[in-house]
């Protein structure tokens, strides 16, 4: 028994459904706050480091499109120039190899990879460069499924608990907020209390893992005030999708005011390793230092 082939009408309906589904997916993906800004979820001078990732991304696309146009042009040229004519008989002449062409399509891709590697290395080196004396040092501790922020020099902290994001209004107020002063160099010390997490603020075009037992460093200078979204981008368990945080870049006066508010709440000191999953230290809510 053979399966009956779909009729032309059924094939048309199926193709239409696929097209509608694809269009809907593209439209919905454009509804996110990141996608609404176009090619990149940021502006070129959001921090002193975003320009490097921005330029690398845009220039890589330009190079890729240039190569694509060249390849598409060559394919069309071959299709037209070497198409089979009505007067042709038998098979076309067969060529076993063409040494100049083989050298060309071996050397050019290698050269492109080395050029891309060169500019990527330059951008990565500048993005990861640390400051000898950052104005603000923040010990960021990722945990299932929230964040703790220790403001080291200010000797204050903010701790987050997992927020049940039920789609109701006010969800943003239930997740922790990281405060950063504008035009001041910030160093984030990324640590994890349990499993591997990843710290990402899309607007800053920087992302880095937080690994248990290892401290990673992220350094930058915010250059524009505003409110931004942050999230964990390493699958870390059941509620990974709800491991969110806010970022507020404010003036120095507003930052100092926020630090004083934390002190007034009794949130002085640092929440350190005592709450790490594998810590052998005696639990102590806050390390006064």
């Amino acid at each position: 028994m053979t399966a009956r082939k779909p009729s032309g009408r059924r094939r048309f309906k199926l193709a239409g459904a696929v097209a509608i589904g694809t269009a809907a997916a593209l439209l919905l993906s454009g509804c996110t706050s990141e996608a609404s800004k176009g090619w990149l979820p940021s502006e070129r001078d959001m921090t002193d480091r975003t320009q490097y990732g921005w330029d690398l991304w845009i220039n890589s696309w330009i190079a890729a499109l240039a190569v694509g146009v060249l390849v598409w042009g060559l394919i069309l040229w071959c299709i037209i120039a070497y198409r089979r004519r009505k007067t042709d008989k038998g098979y076309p002449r067969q060529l076993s190899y063409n040494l100049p062409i083989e050298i060309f399509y071996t050397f050019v891709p290698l050269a492109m990879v080395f050029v891309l590697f060169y500019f990527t290395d330059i951008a990565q080196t500048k993005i990861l460069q640390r400051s000898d004396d950052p104005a603000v040092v923040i010990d960021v501790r990722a945990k299932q499924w929230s964040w703790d922020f220790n403001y080291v020099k200010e000797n204050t902290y903010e701790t987050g608990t997992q927020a049940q994001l039920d789609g109701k209004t006010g969800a943003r107020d239930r997740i922790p907020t990281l405060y950063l002063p504008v035009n001041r160099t910030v160093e984030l010390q990324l640590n994890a209390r349990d499993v591997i997490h990843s710290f990402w603020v899309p607007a800053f075009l920087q992302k880095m893992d937080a690994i248990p037992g290892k401290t990673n460093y992220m350094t930058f200078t915010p250059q524009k005030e505003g409110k931004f979204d942050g999230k964990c981008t390493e699958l870390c368990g059941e509620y990974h999708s709800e491991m969110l945080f806010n970022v507020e870049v404010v003036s120095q006066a507003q930052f100092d005011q926020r630090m004083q508010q934390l002190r007034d709440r009794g949130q002085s000191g640092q929440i350190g390793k005592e709450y790490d999953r594998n810590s052998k230290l005696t639990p102590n809510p806050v390390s006064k230092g």
Side-chain angles (χ1 to χ4, degrees):
M1 181 177 181
T2 59
R4 185 175 61 181
K5 294 183 179 180
S7 64
R9 188 173 181 179
R10 290 180 62 191
R11 288 198 297 269
F12 178 78
K13 289 182 178 180
L14 180 61
V18 172
I20 293 173
T22 303
L26 291 173
L27 288 173
L28 291 174
S29 66
C31 293
T32 63
S33 59
E34 291 86 357
S36 64
K37 296 182 180 179
W39 285 60
L40 286 172
S42 181
E43 299 176 14
R44 189 175 183 275
D45 298 318
M46 188 65 68
T47 75
D48 65 329
R49 308 296 171 97
T50 53
Q51 58 180 312
Y52 305 117
W54 181 283
D55 291 343
L56 180 65
W57 176 259
I58 298 299
N59 291 330
S60 296
W61 265 105
I62 292 173
L65 287 174
V67 172
V69 169
L70 175 63
V71 172
W72 298 330
L74 291 174
I75 291 174
L76 289 174
W77 178 73
C78 289
I79 292 174
I80 296 172
Y82 297 103
R83 69 187 185 279
R84 185 177 182 86
R85 273 78 171 183
K86 293 182 178 179
T87 57
D88 292 341
K89 296 181 180 180
Y91 292 104
R93 180 186 175 189
Q94 303 296 300
L95 299 176
S96 59
Y97 67 90
N98 187 307
L99 187 58
I101 292 180
E102 291 183 7
I103 293 175
F104 175 79
Y105 68 60
T106 300
F107 173 76
V108 171
L110 286 175
M112 292 172 58
V113 170
F114 281 122
V115 170
L116 181 61
F117 176 84
Y118 172 75
F119 286 106
T120 301
D121 181 67
I122 291 177
Q124 180 175 291
T125 300
K126 292 180 178 179
I127 290 173
L128 297 180
Q129 185 176 8
R130 295 180 61 186
S131 172
D132 294 332
D133 186 24
V136 179
V137 177
I138 303 174
D139 174 17
V140 177
R141 296 199 170 258
K143 59 186 181 182
Q144 293 177 314
W145 287 272
S146 190
W147 305 82
D148 294 334
F149 302 126
N150 289 313
Y151 299 90
V152 177
K153 292 187 176 182
E154 291 75 18
N155 198 34
T156 60
Y157 71 92
E158 182 164 350
T159 182
T161 57
Q162 181 191 343
Q164 296 296 326
L165 305 183
D166 48 13
K168 298 180 180 178
T169 59
R172 179 180 287 273
D173 298 330
R174 300 197 297 269
I175 58 179
T177 299
L178 175 65
Y179 283 82
L180 304 173
V182 69
N183 295 325
R184 303 294 300 275
T185 303
V186 176
E187 178 179 87
L188 303 182
Q189 301 174 351
L190 304 179
N191 298 282
R193 297 196 182 280
D194 33 50
V195 299
I196 296 177
H197 300 278
S198 188
F199 179 95
W200 188 36
V201 180
F204 294 169
L205 298 185
Q206 282 185 259
K207 179 171 66 173
M208 187 171 290
D209 285 348
I211 303 173
K214 174 181 173 60
T215 301
N216 286 330
Y217 298 91
M218 183 182 293
T219 305
F220 56 89
T221 301
Q223 298 182 152
K224 295 186 179 181
E225 296 185 22
K227 297 181 179 180
F228 309 100
D229 298 326
K231 59 186 74 175
C232 173
T233 53
E234 185 76 31
L235 183 59
C236 57
E238 182 178 3
Y239 296 101
H240 159 71
S241 62
E242 299 183 8
M243 191 171 167
L244 310 175
F245 62 95
N246 303 314
V247 177
E248 289 197 24
V249 179
V250 297
S251 66
Q252 182 64 50
Q254 291 174 307
F255 179 77
D256 294 338
Q257 182 181 7
R258 178 60 181 177
M259 296 301 102
Q260 187 57 50
Q261 289 175 350
L262 294 178
R263 296 186 190 97
D264 294 341
R265 293 178 186 176
Q267 294 175 225
S268 297
Q270 307 282 278
I271 301 181
K273 298 180 180 180
E274 59 273 8
Y275 282 117
D276 291 0
R277 176 172 295 173
N278 297 323
S279 175
K280 297 181 180 179
L281 302 177
T282 302
N284 180 20
V286 180
S287 174
K288 303 289 184 179

